[in-house]
Amino acid sequence: MSHEQSHELSWNQYGKAEVRVVHVDRSEPQHVVRDLNVTTALRGDFGPAYTDGDNSRVLTTDAQKNTVFGLARETGVGEPEAFALAVARQLLSACPSADVARVEVEQYPWSALGGGHAFSRAGSHVVVAELELPRDGEAQLSGGVDELVVLKTTDSEYHGFVKERFTTLAETDERLLATQVTARWRYATGAAESADHAAVKAGALAALLEAFGGHHSLALQQTLHAMGSAVLDARPELAGVTLSLPNKHHFLQDLSRFGLDNPNAVYHADDRPYGLIEGTITRR
């Protein structure tokens, strides 16, 4: 039996990964730097390229890369959500065989130092936009943030968990709580194109941070729920929030052998293994 009779291509996607584009807007005395990492992909009727090496329906990944740079020049680079939508539309226009265009954008924030033309990286977190645009359907858009590291030195407890023969963790009513937030907020139907993306992003990020800082935590799971709920309360344009929160463990260091007490003052930080708490909060 030939491969053609026994096998079929059930799914395919191809594109250009991690196009690094930096756009400088010099229209005002204070320049604006947009620093992006863009990944594009197309899905559709590309079977012959896989089965027969027939590339007649293929928009090259090089052309996808050039689309990113060309649109950065033609339209500028505003909010990453809007730029992703512009790129996706152009790709669908250029490639009739494509049914869906997917664009992911990571934005590395820069802060002005003064003088109009000097900048520093603004913290460690990365702003993210993820878009899927069907040719004949509604855009599906998510925004978010990666690598947002937060820590609180009190208002965190952990007790009442299952205890069995492999349980060694001690209960505590006072612990240091730290995590590196990965968040994706999903836009409601119809909001992808009409929303003020800058306001959504600023509001969602502020809600995440306020909820983490102001919440008395009995578990990181409970804190996740509070953070996701705060984002939805703050931004009506959003339908749901998915959070991934690794527990960046900090354990009290035993100083008794040196004749010293340790009233929640000195910790050692372990990077692995770590608890990984994940969940999605949606509107009812």
Side-chain angles (χ1 to χ4, degrees), residues 110-252:
W110 290 84
S111 294
L113 295 178
H117 59 271
F119 301 83
S120 66
R121 272 293 298 272
S124 62
H125 73 277
V126 179
V127 173
V128 178
E130 298 175 349
L131 172 78
E132 283 199 4
L133 181 63
R135 185 176 295 278
D136 299 315
E138 183 77 29
Q140 300 174 39
L141 177 64
S142 295
V145 64
D146 289 346
E147 302 175 24
L148 178 64
V149 180
V150 292
L151 177 150
K152 61 193 301 179
T153 57
T154 191
D155 280 346
S156 178
E157 309 177 30
Y158 195 55
H159 45 73
F161 43 82
V162 172
K163 300 174 184 65
E164 43 72 74
R165 67 191 182 102
F166 290 120
T167 301
T168 59
L169 186 68
E171 295 188 334
T172 180
D173 59 5
E174 181 69 271
R175 68 172 180 170
L176 189 153
L177 181 64
T179 186
Q180 179 173 290
V181 179
T182 297
R184 294 291 182 273
W185 40 83
R186 177 171 54 85
Y187 282 73
T189 301
E193 299 189 39
S194 61
D196 182 339
H197 299 300
V200 171
K201 189 159 39 223
L205 184 58
L208 282 175
L209 295 175
E210 184 176 354
F212 179 83
H215 176 250
H216 186 103
S217 177
L218 300 179
L220 189 52
Q221 288 90 335
Q222 183 197 24
T223 301
L224 180 151
H225 189 274
M227 294 170 72
S229 297
V231 170
L232 295 182
D233 288 344
R235 302 308 311 184
E237 306 94 332
L238 303 178
V241 185
T242 296
L243 293 166
S244 179
L245 304 181
N247 198 335
K248 300 180 74 68
H249 296 297
H250 292 70
F251 297 108
L252 276 174

Side-chain angles (χ1 to χ4, degrees), residues 18-79:
E18 300 197 52
V19 180
R20 292 287 284 109
V21 55
V22 178
H23 181 271
V24 181
D25 183 349
R26 307 171 188 270
S27 61
E28 300 290 340
Q30 175 59 64
H31 296 172
V32 177
V33 173
R34 299 278 189 174
D35 185 353
L36 307 181
N37 191 31
V38 182
T39 293
T40 64
L42 295 174
R43 297 201 294 267
D45 187 15
F46 302 113
Y50 289 84
T51 59
D52 304 317
D54 177 357
N55 298 316
S56 59
R57 303 176 186 179
V58 170
L59 179 70
T60 66
T61 65
D62 189 65
Q64 295 181 44
K65 173 199 70 177
N66 293 335
T67 298
V68 172
F69 287 115
L71 288 183
R73 177 65 186 100
E74 287 185 348
T75 68
V77 177
E79 295 303 315

